[in-house]
Amino acid sequence: MIEAAMIWNEPNNKSHWDRELDPDWALFADMAIAAADAIAAENPDIPKVLGGISPIDPVFIESMKQRGLLDRLDAVAVHGFPLDWNLWQIQEWPEKLQEIRAVTDLPVWVSEVGVSSFGAEEVQAWGVDRTAELLVGRAPRIHWYSLYDLPSAWEATTRHREAEGSSYYRHFYMGLLREDGTPKPALERFARHAPAMGLCQWFHYQDHRLDDAVAWMKRLGVTHLRTGLSWADSFRPDALAWFDRQMEALADFDVTVTFCFTPEHRGLMPHHTSPPVEKEEFAAFCAEMIRRYGTAGRVETRTPKLALG
């Protein structure tokens, strides 16, 4: 069920880690080391992956190496959105991977890559094919972000928000499916590249899209999925029941589970990007999730890939 455990999400992005509280990432490294050790104690066979970095920054990876974090990990990951947010062009993907490989011998995963349909759905469809051309065979895991558009009534997980201008609204158009569940042209393009390309889909607490998402992923031939289990959500009512339902629904996939998001009442500041008051509490959450979901044998049965028509 759990193929890999990913520790945090975009730790070098201020939308996911508060650098004002931890300017040199010392607190992050200590927390991640504690989490990696806790995961390994529960199940040493589950690979541990550094949360995908955004921007792609070899200096950050060097810093994590110097702090001893990479010694506890089995892979690092990067995120890239060159047609929407990054200050580099899509054809630079191979060079961006090489920048990270130059500073670590660990495998480099692409745990989020995507193209929004904010400007035109045809651009997104082209972007799927071009991304596959540039990345398939160059990274051991590629997770396309995402299956669904973000519902317009929800907020994007960013601390910039409307200050980003049009960049903020691109967050809502990253899916292969529109908010109402209808396919975009990019969906058929993606199907041509599965299972070499997996998906990244975050499921919110009690997400109404879960069952439909599973049906679509099986129809597309997806085998590798990246999602998250939120430490903050673990304090919601019936959280374990929701986690159980989510992980049971995803049992037919090789799942990279991302552990992240600080509960407001357990952070140095009341925000999900804050370092925790006690790093051991985050480590204990990771250990509990691995104990609950990381010991079952991997499911080998696959649902046949179906036609999209």
Side-chain angles (χ1 to χ4, degrees), residues 71-128:
D71 294 336
R72 305 307 217 284
L73 302 178
D74 301 290
V76 299
V78 300
H79 294 175
F81 300 90
L83 295 185
D84 289 287
W85 295 305
N86 298 139
L87 302 179
W88 46 275
Q89 297 185 325
I90 192 169
Q91 66 267 20
E92 295 177 62
W93 258 118
E95 289 80 4
K96 290 298 176 182
L97 293 179
Q98 189 54 41
E99 287 179 12
I100 303 303
R101 293 193 183 108
V103 297
T104 178
D105 293 329
L106 294 176
V108 181
W109 293 17
V110 180
S111 53
E112 282 188 27
V113 57
V115 177
S116 81
S117 60
F118 179 79
E121 291 186 346
E122 294 80 6
V123 172
Q124 185 187 46
W126 175 86
V128 171

Side-chain angles (χ1 to χ4, degrees), residues 134-249:
L134 291 164
L135 290 181
V136 171
R138 288 190 168 98
R141 285 290 176 271
I142 306 162
H143 295 101
W144 180 267
Y145 178 81
S146 60
L147 179 61
Y148 284 101
D149 278 351
L150 185 67
S152 57
W154 298 2
E155 285 190 355
T157 305
T158 172
R159 298 187 71 176
H160 307 280
R161 300 189 179 178
E162 286 82 353
E164 293 180 321
S166 67
S167 292
Y168 175 76
Y169 295 98
R170 292 174 182 270
H171 288 279
F172 295 86
Y173 294 89
M174 303 303 295
L176 302 170
L177 301 169
R178 303 180 187 93
E179 181 180 350
D180 64 5
T182 57
K184 300 180 190 177
L187 183 83
E188 184 178 359
R189 301 292 187 89
F190 175 85
R192 300 174 188 176
H193 304 294
M197 285 176 62
L199 276 171
C200 173
Q201 179 63 55
W202 295 92
F203 294 105
H204 292 234
Y205 178 71
Q206 302 290 5
D207 200 317
H208 65 282
R209 306 168 299 177
L210 177 61
D211 294 333
D212 285 343
V214 169
W216 268 113
M217 289 189 291
K218 291 182 176 182
R219 189 177 184 186
L220 291 166
V222 170
T223 59
H224 294 93
L225 170 69
R226 175 176 170 250
T227 192
L229 291 175
S230 165
W231 182 27
D233 281 350
S234 70
F235 289 90
R236 292 177 181 265
D238 300 319
L240 280 179
W242 162 245
F243 289 166
D244 286 349
R245 178 170 179 264
Q246 178 180 339
M247 297 306 293
E248 182 179 358

